[in-house]
Amino acid sequence: IKVMDSSVICHPAVVARLEELGVSYEVTEHPAVFTIGEMDALGLTAKGEVCKNLFLRDAKGRRHFLVVVPGEARADLRALAAQLESSKLSFASAERLEKYLGLKQGEVTPLGVLNDADAAVEVVFDRGLERFPCLGVHPNDNTATVWLSLADILRVVEGNGNEIRWVTL
């Protein structure tokens, strides 16, 4: 595991946007991980709260949601649908993930909005994230984790024009 400083361009598009916004961050490179458990096994969760990210769609596939919650949180999709005033929610397909966020399974991250040119995806944050000073998210690939504040993640999402929603899970 390598900790990189901001002068190292390991994920150029993400790093460029973070620097353009004046965001303070740190990058930890690591082997590809697909679950919070794998990140925990590498000791990554000791640095801060690693976010769990879910890419969901409504019943008709008209609305898409990127849901960001604390790593150990359980997302009740029925309760989430009610808070979002949505029809039944389900996980979106790999094809939809690629189409809307330009990501593959295991790479889902709020920084994926940087690939959402139409700002079509609604980004949903659990209020439980507000208690953590440092959050870890992938920089659009699962071989690194970017550490930054919730306020800075919100700046990235807002800067892309995506709608932000808040829920309590």
Side-chain angles (χ1 to χ4, degrees), residues 133-145:
C134 183
L135 297 174
V137 298
H138 290 313
N140 292 345
D141 100 36
N142 63 355
T143 62
T145 299

Side-chain angles (χ1 to χ4, degrees), residues 3-93:
V3 175
M4 314 297 282
D5 66 33
S6 61
S7 65
V8 177
I9 308 289
C10 52
H11 305 280
V14 171
V15 168
R17 184 64 176 141
L18 294 178
E19 291 184 356
E20 181 181 314
L21 292 170
V23 168
S24 176
Y25 65 93
E26 189 175 288
V27 177
T28 304
E29 293 195 326
H30 49 73
V33 290
F34 295 89
T35 66
I36 299 291
E38 290 177 42
M39 295 183 82
D40 196 29
L42 289 174
L44 294 171
T45 55
K47 179 153 187 62
E49 181 65 13
V50 175
C51 295
K52 182 186 297 181
N53 304 282
L54 312 171
F55 188 57
L56 306 173
R57 57 170 275 196
D58 70 357
K60 295 195 178 197
R62 292 190 183 134
R63 292 174 72 192
H64 293 83
F65 303 94
L66 174 55
V67 180
V68 185
V69 301
E72 296 306 316
R74 295 248 179 232
D76 177 338
L77 297 188
R78 280 193 188 137
L80 189 55
Q83 290 185 60
L84 296 172
E85 300 174 336
S86 171
S87 58
K88 182 180 178 181
L89 294 174
S90 61
F91 287 91
S93 66

